[in-house]
PDB file of all heavy atoms in Angstrom:
ATOM      1  N   THR A   1      42.194  55.340  -5.175  1.00 63.00           N
ATOM      2  CA  THR A   1      41.707  54.646  -6.364  1.00 63.00           C
ATOM      3  C   THR A   1      41.551  55.668  -7.474  1.00 63.00           C
ATOM      4  O   THR A   1      40.832  56.642  -7.323  1.00 63.00           O
ATOM      5  CB  THR A   1      40.358  53.957  -6.106  1.00 63.00           C
ATOM      6  OG1 THR A   1      40.489  53.096  -4.983  1.00 63.00           O
ATOM      7  CG2 THR A   1      39.952  53.135  -7.309  1.00 63.00           C
ATOM      8  N   PHE A   2      42.236  55.465  -8.578  1.00 65.00           N
ATOM      9  CA  PHE A   2      42.213  56.443  -9.651  1.00 65.00           C
ATOM     10  C   PHE A   2      41.528  55.943 -10.909  1.00 65.00           C
ATOM     11  O   PHE A   2      40.653  56.587 -11.450  1.00 65.00           O
ATOM     12  CB  PHE A   2      43.654  56.852 -10.019  1.00 65.00           C
ATOM     13  CG  PHE A   2      44.367  57.622  -8.949  1.00 65.00           C
ATOM     14  CD1 PHE A   2      45.257  56.997  -8.107  1.00 65.00           C
ATOM     15  CD2 PHE A   2      44.148  58.981  -8.804  1.00 65.00           C
ATOM     16  CE1 PHE A   2      45.925  57.723  -7.126  1.00 65.00           C
ATOM     17  CE2 PHE A   2      44.810  59.711  -7.833  1.00 65.00           C
ATOM     18  CZ  PHE A   2      45.695  59.078  -6.993  1.00 65.00           C
ATOM     19  N   SER A   3      41.931  54.792 -11.407  1.00 65.00           N
ATOM     20  CA  SER A   3      41.561  54.387 -12.758  1.00 65.00           C
ATOM     21  C   SER A   3      41.060  52.952 -12.835  1.00 65.00           C
ATOM     22  O   SER A   3      41.754  52.060 -13.328  1.00 65.00           O
ATOM     23  CB  SER A   3      42.767  54.574 -13.686  1.00 65.00           C
ATOM     24  OG  SER A   3      43.281  55.866 -13.571  1.00 65.00           O
ATOM     25  N   PRO A   4      39.873  52.690 -12.362  1.00 73.00           N
ATOM     26  CA  PRO A   4      39.334  51.329 -12.522  1.00 73.00           C
ATOM     27  C   PRO A   4      38.866  51.130 -13.955  1.00 73.00           C
ATOM     28  O   PRO A   4      38.882  52.053 -14.770  1.00 73.00           O
ATOM     29  CB  PRO A   4      38.148  51.337 -11.564  1.00 73.00           C
ATOM     30  CG  PRO A   4      37.677  52.756 -11.588  1.00 73.00           C
ATOM     31  CD  PRO A   4      38.912  53.591 -11.726  1.00 73.00           C
ATOM     32  N   LYS A   5      38.460  49.942 -14.266  1.00 80.00           N
ATOM     33  CA  LYS A   5      37.892  49.659 -15.581  1.00 80.00           C
ATOM     34  C   LYS A   5      36.407  49.985 -15.535  1.00 80.00           C
ATOM     35  O   LYS A   5      35.603  49.252 -14.974  1.00 80.00           O
ATOM     36  CB  LYS A   5      38.125  48.191 -15.955  1.00 80.00           C
ATOM     37  CG  LYS A   5      39.592  47.851 -16.177  1.00 80.00           C
ATOM     38  CD  LYS A   5      39.760  46.378 -16.573  1.00 80.00           C
ATOM     39  CE  LYS A   5      41.227  46.059 -16.811  1.00 80.00           C
ATOM     40  NZ  LYS A   5      41.437  44.623 -17.175  1.00 80.00           N
ATOM     41  N   TYR A   6      36.061  51.127 -16.128  1.00 88.00           N
ATOM     42  CA  TYR A   6      34.674  51.562 -16.118  1.00 88.00           C
ATOM     43  C   TYR A   6      33.851  50.719 -17.098  1.00 88.00           C
ATOM     44  O   TYR A   6      34.363  50.251 -18.123  1.00 88.00           O
ATOM     45  CB  TYR A   6      34.565  53.034 -16.501  1.00 88.00           C
ATOM     46  CG  TYR A   6      35.175  53.979 -15.497  1.00 88.00           C
ATOM     47  CD1 TYR A   6      36.338  54.685 -15.792  1.00 88.00           C
ATOM     48  CD2 TYR A   6      34.588  54.171 -14.256  1.00 88.00           C
ATOM     49  CE1 TYR A   6      36.894  55.562 -14.874  1.00 88.00           C
ATOM     50  CE2 TYR A   6      35.133  55.043 -13.338  1.00 88.00           C
ATOM     51  CZ  TYR A   6      36.286  55.733 -13.640  1.00 88.00           C
ATOM     52  OH  TYR A   6      36.843  56.596 -12.741  1.00 88.00           O
ATOM     53  N   SER A   7      32.581  50.592 -16.796  1.00 92.00           N
ATOM     54  CA  SER A   7      31.680  49.855 -17.688  1.00 92.00           C
ATOM     55  C   SER A   7      31.247  50.707 -18.871  1.00 92.00           C
ATOM     56  O   SER A   7      30.748  50.197 -19.864  1.00 92.00           O
ATOM     57  CB  SER A   7      30.445  49.381 -16.914  1.00 92.00           C
ATOM     58  OG  SER A   7      29.722  50.488 -16.401  1.00 92.00           O
ATOM     59  N   ILE A   8      31.439  52.030 -18.768  1.00 93.00           N
ATOM     60  CA  ILE A   8      31.069  52.924 -19.865  1.00 93.00           C
ATOM     61  C   ILE A   8      32.289  53.148 -20.765  1.00 93.00           C
ATOM     62  O   ILE A   8      33.426  52.927 -20.360  1.00 93.00           O
ATOM     63  CB  ILE A   8      30.546  54.273 -19.335  1.00 93.00           C
ATOM     64  CG1 ILE A   8      31.585  54.943 -18.428  1.00 93.00           C
ATOM     65  CG2 ILE A   8      29.238  54.069 -18.577  1.00 93.00           C
ATOM     66  CD1 ILE A   8      31.169  56.294 -17.899  1.00 93.00           C
ATOM     67  N   SER A   9      32.028  53.591 -21.986  1.00 94.00           N
ATOM     68  CA  SER A   9      33.110  53.807 -22.947  1.00 94.00           C
ATOM     69  C   SER A   9      33.921  55.036 -22.566  1.00 94.00           C
ATOM     70  O   SER A   9      33.481  55.891 -21.793  1.00 94.00           O
ATOM     71  CB  SER A   9      32.537  53.986 -24.351  1.00 94.00           C
ATOM     72  OG  SER A   9      31.801  55.198 -24.421  1.00 94.00           O
ATOM     73  N   ASP A  10      35.101  55.153 -23.154  1.00 92.00           N
ATOM     74  CA  ASP A  10      35.965  56.302 -22.877  1.00 92.00           C
ATOM     75  C   ASP A  10      35.305  57.614 -23.317  1.00 92.00           C
ATOM     76  O   ASP A  10      35.426  58.633 -22.643  1.00 92.00           O
ATOM     77  CB  ASP A  10      37.309  56.139 -23.591  1.00 92.00           C
ATOM     78  CG  ASP A  10      38.168  55.050 -22.974  1.00 92.00           C
ATOM     79  OD1 ASP A  10      37.876  54.648 -21.828  1.00 92.00           O
ATOM     80  OD2 ASP A  10      39.121  54.596 -23.637  1.00 92.00           O
ATOM     81  N   SER A  11      34.643  57.592 -24.454  1.00 95.00           N
ATOM     82  CA  SER A  11      33.990  58.810 -24.950  1.00 95.00           C
ATOM     83  C   SER A  11      32.845  59.228 -24.039  1.00 95.00           C
ATOM     84  O   SER A  11      32.662  60.419 -23.754  1.00 95.00           O
ATOM     85  CB  SER A  11      33.489  58.607 -26.383  1.00 95.00           C
ATOM     86  OG  SER A  11      32.559  57.540 -26.440  1.00 95.00           O
ATOM     87  N   THR A  12      32.081  58.225 -23.557  1.00 96.00           N
ATOM     88  CA  THR A  12      30.995  58.530 -22.613  1.00 96.00           C
ATOM     89  C   THR A  12      31.560  59.056 -21.305  1.00 96.00           C
ATOM     90  O   THR A  12      31.026  60.005 -20.711  1.00 96.00           O
ATOM     91  CB  THR A  12      30.148  57.277 -22.356  1.00 96.00           C
ATOM     92  OG1 THR A  12      29.577  56.833 -23.586  1.00 96.00           O
ATOM     93  CG2 THR A  12      29.031  57.574 -21.366  1.00 96.00           C
ATOM     94  N   LEU A  13      32.655  58.456 -20.845  1.00 95.00           N
ATOM     95  CA  LEU A  13      33.310  58.909 -19.618  1.00 95.00           C
ATOM     96  C   LEU A  13      33.741  60.366 -19.753  1.00 95.00           C
ATOM     97  O   LEU A  13      33.498  61.187 -18.853  1.00 95.00           O
ATOM     98  CB  LEU A  13      34.512  58.024 -19.314  1.00 95.00           C
ATOM     99  CG  LEU A  13      35.422  58.475 -18.169  1.00 95.00           C
ATOM    100  CD1 LEU A  13      34.662  58.475 -16.846  1.00 95.00           C
ATOM    101  CD2 LEU A  13      36.653  57.581 -18.079  1.00 95.00           C
ATOM    102  N   ALA A  14      34.385  60.710 -20.875  1.00 96.00           N
ATOM    103  CA  ALA A  14      34.869  62.071 -21.079  1.00 96.00           C
ATOM    104  C   ALA A  14      33.712  63.074 -21.095  1.00 96.00           C
ATOM    105  O   ALA A  14      33.795  64.154 -20.496  1.00 96.00           O
ATOM    106  CB  ALA A  14      35.659  62.156 -22.383  1.00 96.00           C
ATOM    107  N   THR A  15      32.624  62.700 -21.768  1.00 97.00           N
ATOM    108  CA  THR A  15      31.464  63.598 -21.835  1.00 97.00           C
ATOM    109  C   THR A  15      30.811  63.753 -20.466  1.00 97.00           C
ATOM    110  O   THR A  15      30.399  64.849 -20.078  1.00 97.00           O
ATOM    111  CB  THR A  15      30.432  63.070 -22.848  1.00 97.00           C
ATOM    112  OG1 THR A  15      31.084  62.814 -24.091  1.00 97.00           O
ATOM    113  CG2 THR A  15      29.324  64.083 -23.067  1.00 97.00           C
ATOM    114  N   ALA A  16      30.707  62.648 -19.724  1.00 97.00           N
ATOM    115  CA  ALA A  16      30.135  62.707 -18.380  1.00 97.00           C
ATOM    116  C   ALA A  16      30.992  63.571 -17.463  1.00 97.00           C
ATOM    117  O   ALA A  16      30.468  64.372 -16.664  1.00 97.00           O
ATOM    118  CB  ALA A  16      30.002  61.298 -17.817  1.00 97.00           C
ATOM    119  N   GLN A  17      32.312  63.438 -17.567  1.00 97.00           N
ATOM    120  CA  GLN A  17      33.208  64.271 -16.763  1.00 97.00           C
ATOM    121  C   GLN A  17      33.008  65.748 -17.081  1.00 97.00           C
ATOM    122  O   GLN A  17      32.988  66.589 -16.168  1.00 97.00           O
ATOM    123  CB  GLN A  17      34.662  63.863 -17.011  1.00 97.00           C
ATOM    124  CG  GLN A  17      35.038  62.514 -16.411  1.00 97.00           C
ATOM    125  CD  GLN A  17      36.414  62.050 -16.860  1.00 97.00           C
ATOM    126  OE1 GLN A  17      36.853  62.327 -17.976  1.00 97.00           O
ATOM    127  NE2 GLN A  17      37.104  61.330 -15.985  1.00 97.00           N
ATOM    128  N   ASP A  18      32.855  66.075 -18.361  1.00 97.00           N
ATOM    129  CA  ASP A  18      32.615  67.464 -18.757  1.00 97.00           C
ATOM    130  C   ASP A  18      31.307  67.980 -18.178  1.00 97.00           C
ATOM    131  O   ASP A  18      31.226  69.132 -17.717  1.00 97.00           O
ATOM    132  CB  ASP A  18      32.583  67.587 -20.285  1.00 97.00           C
ATOM    133  CG  ASP A  18      33.959  67.447 -20.912  1.00 97.00           C
ATOM    134  OD1 ASP A  18      34.961  67.578 -20.180  1.00 97.00           O
ATOM    135  OD2 ASP A  18      34.027  67.186 -22.133  1.00 97.00           O
ATOM    136  N   THR A  19      30.273  67.134 -18.199  1.00 98.00           N
ATOM    137  CA  THR A  19      28.969  67.539 -17.658  1.00 98.00           C
ATOM    138  C   THR A  19      29.079  67.806 -16.158  1.00 98.00           C
ATOM    139  O   THR A  19      28.547  68.804 -15.652  1.00 98.00           O
ATOM    140  CB  THR A  19      27.917  66.453 -17.925  1.00 98.00           C
ATOM    141  OG1 THR A  19      27.794  66.242 -19.331  1.00 98.00           O
ATOM    142  CG2 THR A  19      26.569  66.855 -17.360  1.00 98.00           C
ATOM    143  N   ILE A  20      29.765  66.935 -15.446  1.00 98.00           N
ATOM    144  CA  ILE A  20      29.950  67.128 -14.001  1.00 98.00           C
ATOM    145  C   ILE A  20      30.743  68.402 -13.731  1.00 98.00           C
ATOM    146  O   ILE A  20      30.367  69.225 -12.888  1.00 98.00           O
ATOM    147  CB  ILE A  20      30.653  65.902 -13.382  1.00 98.00           C
ATOM    148  CG1 ILE A  20      29.751  64.673 -13.462  1.00 98.00           C
ATOM    149  CG2 ILE A  20      31.046  66.178 -11.927  1.00 98.00           C
ATOM    150  CD1 ILE A  20      30.439  63.374 -13.083  1.00 98.00           C
ATOM    151  N   TYR A  21      31.847  68.568 -14.478  1.00 98.00           N
ATOM    152  CA  TYR A  21      32.691  69.745 -14.264  1.00 98.00           C
ATOM    153  C   TYR A  21      31.906  71.034 -14.529  1.00 98.00           C
ATOM    154  O   TYR A  21      31.945  71.986 -13.727  1.00 98.00           O
ATOM    155  CB  TYR A  21      33.915  69.691 -15.173  1.00 98.00           C
ATOM    156  CG  TYR A  21      34.786  70.926 -15.057  1.00 98.00           C
ATOM    157  CD1 TYR A  21      35.716  71.046 -14.032  1.00 98.00           C
ATOM    158  CD2 TYR A  21      34.653  71.978 -15.976  1.00 98.00           C
ATOM    159  CE1 TYR A  21      36.502  72.184 -13.919  1.00 98.00           C
ATOM    160  CE2 TYR A  21      35.432  73.116 -15.859  1.00 98.00           C
ATOM    161  CZ  TYR A  21      36.356  73.212 -14.828  1.00 98.00           C
ATOM    162  OH  TYR A  21      37.118  74.347 -14.702  1.00 98.00           O
ATOM    163  N   ASN A  22      31.206  71.091 -15.651  1.00 98.00           N
ATOM    164  CA  ASN A  22      30.454  72.297 -15.994  1.00 98.00           C
ATOM    165  C   ASN A  22      29.365  72.596 -14.981  1.00 98.00           C
ATOM    166  O   ASN A  22      29.100  73.761 -14.659  1.00 98.00           O
ATOM    167  CB  ASN A  22      29.848  72.163 -17.396  1.00 98.00           C
ATOM    168  CG  ASN A  22      30.905  72.214 -18.488  1.00 98.00           C
ATOM    169  OD1 ASN A  22      31.917  72.884 -18.341  1.00 98.00           O
ATOM    170  ND2 ASN A  22      30.681  71.494 -19.586  1.00 98.00           N
ATOM    171  N   GLY A  23      28.729  71.539 -14.462  1.00 98.00           N
ATOM    172  CA  GLY A  23      27.717  71.746 -13.433  1.00 98.00           C
ATOM    173  C   GLY A  23      28.309  72.333 -12.165  1.00 98.00           C
ATOM    174  O   GLY A  23      27.732  73.232 -11.541  1.00 98.00           O
ATOM    175  N   LEU A  24      29.498  71.842 -11.775  1.00 97.00           N
ATOM    176  CA  LEU A  24      30.119  72.293 -10.533  1.00 97.00           C
ATOM    177  C   LEU A  24      30.782  73.657 -10.672  1.00 97.00           C
ATOM    178  O   LEU A  24      30.701  74.483  -9.759  1.00 97.00           O
ATOM    179  CB  LEU A  24      31.144  71.253 -10.069  1.00 97.00           C
ATOM    180  CG  LEU A  24      30.582  69.872  -9.729  1.00 97.00           C
ATOM    181  CD1 LEU A  24      31.711  68.921  -9.346  1.00 97.00           C
ATOM    182  CD2 LEU A  24      29.548  69.946  -8.617  1.00 97.00           C
ATOM    183  N   ILE A  25      31.429  73.911 -11.796  1.00 97.00           N
ATOM    184  CA  ILE A  25      32.099  75.198 -11.970  1.00 97.00           C
ATOM    185  C   ILE A  25      31.084  76.328 -12.060  1.00 97.00           C
ATOM    186  O   ILE A  25      31.358  77.482 -11.701  1.00 97.00           O
ATOM    187  CB  ILE A  25      33.022  75.196 -13.212  1.00 97.00           C
ATOM    188  CG1 ILE A  25      34.052  76.335 -13.125  1.00 97.00           C
ATOM    189  CG2 ILE A  25      32.229  75.298 -14.492  1.00 97.00           C
ATOM    190  CD1 ILE A  25      35.066  76.187 -12.044  1.00 97.00           C
ATOM    191  N   ASN A  26      29.866  75.999 -12.526  1.00 97.00           N
ATOM    192  CA  ASN A  26      28.791  76.991 -12.605  1.00 97.00           C
ATOM    193  C   ASN A  26      27.873  76.949 -11.383  1.00 97.00           C
ATOM    194  O   ASN A  26      26.823  77.587 -11.373  1.00 97.00           O
ATOM    195  CB  ASN A  26      27.984  76.783 -13.886  1.00 97.00           C
ATOM    196  CG  ASN A  26      28.778  77.130 -15.135  1.00 97.00           C
ATOM    197  OD1 ASN A  26      29.237  78.264 -15.287  1.00 97.00           O
ATOM    198  ND2 ASN A  26      28.973  76.165 -16.017  1.00 97.00           N
ATOM    199  N   VAL A  27      28.281  76.181 -10.381  1.00 97.00           N
ATOM    200  CA  VAL A  27      27.591  76.102  -9.081  1.00 97.00           C
ATOM    201  C   VAL A  27      26.107  75.769  -9.277  1.00 97.00           C
ATOM    202  O   VAL A  27      25.212  76.412  -8.701  1.00 97.00           O
ATOM    203  CB  VAL A  27      27.763  77.408  -8.269  1.00 97.00           C
ATOM    204  CG1 VAL A  27      27.458  77.173  -6.791  1.00 97.00           C
ATOM    205  CG2 VAL A  27      29.168  77.967  -8.411  1.00 97.00           C
ATOM    206  N   LYS A  28      25.831  74.780 -10.116  1.00 97.00           N
ATOM    207  CA  LYS A  28      24.456  74.354 -10.349  1.00 97.00           C
ATOM    208  C   LYS A  28      23.910  73.599  -9.143  1.00 97.00           C
ATOM    209  O   LYS A  28      24.640  72.878  -8.457  1.00 97.00           O
ATOM    210  CB  LYS A  28      24.388  73.450 -11.582  1.00 97.00           C
ATOM    211  CG  LYS A  28      24.807  74.120 -12.884  1.00 97.00           C
ATOM    212  CD  LYS A  28      23.815  75.188 -13.306  1.00 97.00           C
ATOM    213  CE  LYS A  28      24.158  75.737 -14.685  1.00 97.00           C
ATOM    214  NZ  LYS A  28      23.219  76.810 -15.098  1.00 97.00           N
ATOM    215  N   SER A  29      22.622  73.756  -8.904  1.00 96.00           N
ATOM    216  CA  SER A  29      21.994  73.033  -7.795  1.00 96.00           C
ATOM    217  C   SER A  29      21.656  71.602  -8.183  1.00 96.00           C
ATOM    218  O   SER A  29      21.494  70.745  -7.314  1.00 96.00           O
ATOM    219  CB  SER A  29      20.719  73.760  -7.351  1.00 96.00           C
ATOM    220  OG  SER A  29      19.814  73.888  -8.442  1.00 96.00           O
ATOM    221  N   TYR A  30      21.547  71.333  -9.488  1.00 94.00           N
ATOM    222  CA  TYR A  30      21.357  69.958  -9.974  1.00 94.00           C
ATOM    223  C   TYR A  30      21.741  69.906 -11.450  1.00 94.00           C
ATOM    224  O   TYR A  30      21.777  70.915 -12.148  1.00 94.00           O
ATOM    225  CB  TYR A  30      19.906  69.490  -9.801  1.00 94.00           C
ATOM    226  CG  TYR A  30      18.980  69.974 -10.880  1.00 94.00           C
ATOM    227  CD1 TYR A  30      18.681  69.176 -11.984  1.00 94.00           C
ATOM    228  CD2 TYR A  30      18.419  71.254 -10.816  1.00 94.00           C
ATOM    229  CE1 TYR A  30      17.844  69.635 -12.987  1.00 94.00           C
ATOM    230  CE2 TYR A  30      17.594  71.717 -11.814  1.00 94.00           C
ATOM    231  CZ  TYR A  30      17.302  70.913 -12.893  1.00 94.00           C
ATOM    232  OH  TYR A  30      16.480  71.373 -13.893  1.00 94.00           O
ATOM    233  N   PHE A  31      22.061  68.715 -11.931  1.00 96.00           N
ATOM    234  CA  PHE A  31      22.262  68.498 -13.357  1.00 96.00           C
ATOM    235  C   PHE A  31      21.971  67.040 -13.678  1.00 96.00           C
ATOM    236  O   PHE A  31      21.915  66.176 -12.806  1.00 96.00           O
ATOM    237  CB  PHE A  31      23.660  68.918 -13.828  1.00 96.00           C
ATOM    238  CG  PHE A  31      24.796  68.430 -12.980  1.00 96.00           C
ATOM    239  CD1 PHE A  31      25.397  67.201 -13.206  1.00 96.00           C
ATOM    240  CD2 PHE A  31      25.289  69.225 -11.953  1.00 96.00           C
ATOM    241  CE1 PHE A  31      26.459  66.767 -12.436  1.00 96.00           C
ATOM    242  CE2 PHE A  31      26.353  68.803 -11.173  1.00 96.00           C
ATOM    243  CZ  PHE A  31      26.944  67.565 -11.411  1.00 96.00           C
ATOM    244  N   ASP A  32      21.773  66.772 -14.970  1.00 97.00           N
ATOM    245  CA  ASP A  32      21.264  65.488 -15.470  1.00 97.00           C
ATOM    246  C   ASP A  32      22.405  64.604 -15.976  1.00 97.00           C
ATOM    247  O   ASP A  32      23.221  65.029 -16.790  1.00 97.00           O
ATOM    248  CB  ASP A  32      20.279  65.787 -16.605  1.00 97.00           C
ATOM    249  CG  ASP A  32      19.610  64.538 -17.155  1.00 97.00           C
ATOM    250  OD1 ASP A  32      19.957  63.423 -16.720  1.00 97.00           O
ATOM    251  OD2 ASP A  32      18.735  64.683 -18.028  1.00 97.00           O
ATOM    252  N   LEU A  33      22.453  63.360 -15.490  1.00 97.00           N
ATOM    253  CA  LEU A  33      23.421  62.375 -15.987  1.00 97.00           C
ATOM    254  C   LEU A  33      22.725  61.111 -16.498  1.00 97.00           C
ATOM    255  O   LEU A  33      23.380  60.101 -16.749  1.00 97.00           O
ATOM    256  CB  LEU A  33      24.403  61.983 -14.871  1.00 97.00           C
ATOM    257  CG  LEU A  33      25.427  63.011 -14.407  1.00 97.00           C
ATOM    258  CD1 LEU A  33      26.331  62.389 -13.349  1.00 97.00           C
ATOM    259  CD2 LEU A  33      26.266  63.543 -15.547  1.00 97.00           C
ATOM    260  N   SER A  34      21.424  61.165 -16.656  1.00 96.00           N
ATOM    261  CA  SER A  34      20.657  59.953 -16.946  1.00 96.00           C
ATOM    262  C   SER A  34      21.070  59.283 -18.256  1.00 96.00           C
ATOM    263  O   SER A  34      21.039  58.051 -18.372  1.00 96.00           O
ATOM    264  CB  SER A  34      19.158  60.275 -16.992  1.00 96.00           C
ATOM    265  OG  SER A  34      18.882  61.263 -17.972  1.00 96.00           O
ATOM    266  N   SER A  35      21.474  60.080 -19.249  1.00 96.00           N
ATOM    267  CA  SER A  35      21.787  59.498 -20.553  1.00 96.00           C
ATOM    268  C   SER A  35      23.077  58.678 -20.555  1.00 96.00           C
ATOM    269  O   SER A  35      23.304  57.885 -21.467  1.00 96.00           O
ATOM    270  CB  SER A  35      21.898  60.607 -21.614  1.00 96.00           C
ATOM    271  OG  SER A  35      22.966  61.481 -21.308  1.00 96.00           O
ATOM    272  N   TYR A  36      23.929  58.848 -19.522  1.00 97.00           N
ATOM    273  CA  TYR A  36      25.226  58.164 -19.507  1.00 97.00           C
ATOM    274  C   TYR A  36      25.157  56.764 -18.895  1.00 97.00           C
ATOM    275  O   TYR A  36      26.073  55.957 -19.068  1.00 97.00           O
ATOM    276  CB  TYR A  36      26.258  59.003 -18.749  1.00 97.00           C
ATOM    277  CG  TYR A  36      26.396  60.401 -19.293  1.00 97.00           C
ATOM    278  CD1 TYR A  36      26.118  61.508 -18.493  1.00 97.00           C
ATOM    279  CD2 TYR A  36      26.784  60.614 -20.611  1.00 97.00           C
ATOM    280  CE1 TYR A  36      26.231  62.787 -18.981  1.00 97.00           C
ATOM    281  CE2 TYR A  36      26.899  61.900 -21.112  1.00 97.00           C
ATOM    282  CZ  TYR A  36      26.624  62.986 -20.290  1.00 97.00           C
ATOM    283  OH  TYR A  36      26.727  64.252 -20.787  1.00 97.00           O
ATOM    284  N   LYS A  37      24.102  56.496 -18.134  1.00 96.00           N
ATOM    285  CA  LYS A  37      23.893  55.169 -17.535  1.00 96.00           C
ATOM    286  C   LYS A  37      25.119  54.701 -16.732  1.00 96.00           C
ATOM    287  O   LYS A  37      25.654  53.606 -16.931  1.00 96.00           O
ATOM    288  CB  LYS A  37      23.532  54.140 -18.610  1.00 96.00           C
ATOM    289  CG  LYS A  37      22.220  54.445 -19.330  1.00 96.00           C
ATOM    290  CD  LYS A  37      21.906  53.403 -20.386  1.00 96.00           C
ATOM    291  CE  LYS A  37      20.531  53.645 -20.999  1.00 96.00           C
ATOM    292  NZ  LYS A  37      20.387  54.985 -21.606  1.00 96.00           N
TER     293      LYS A  37
END
């Protein structure tokens, strides 16, 4: 499964993906996604 119809906007999706990527590439123990709903 690659590309379902997300309930969030494309811009929110892109920003959320960046937040996840940055958290993982920097080996964070936790990060916040609450604002993306």
Side-chain angles (χ1 to χ4, degrees):
T1 305
F2 293 99
S3 308
K5 293 181 179 179
Y6 293 110
S7 61
I8 57 178
S9 67
D10 289 343
S11 60
T12 300
L13 172 63
T15 308
Q17 289 171 327
D18 287 343
T19 300
I20 294 171
Y21 177 83
N22 290 328
L24 297 177
I25 199 67
N26 291 301
V27 198
K28 297 292 187 182
S29 58
Y30 81 96
F31 47 88
D32 184 356
L33 290 183
S34 58
S35 63
Y36 305 119
K37 297 180 174 58

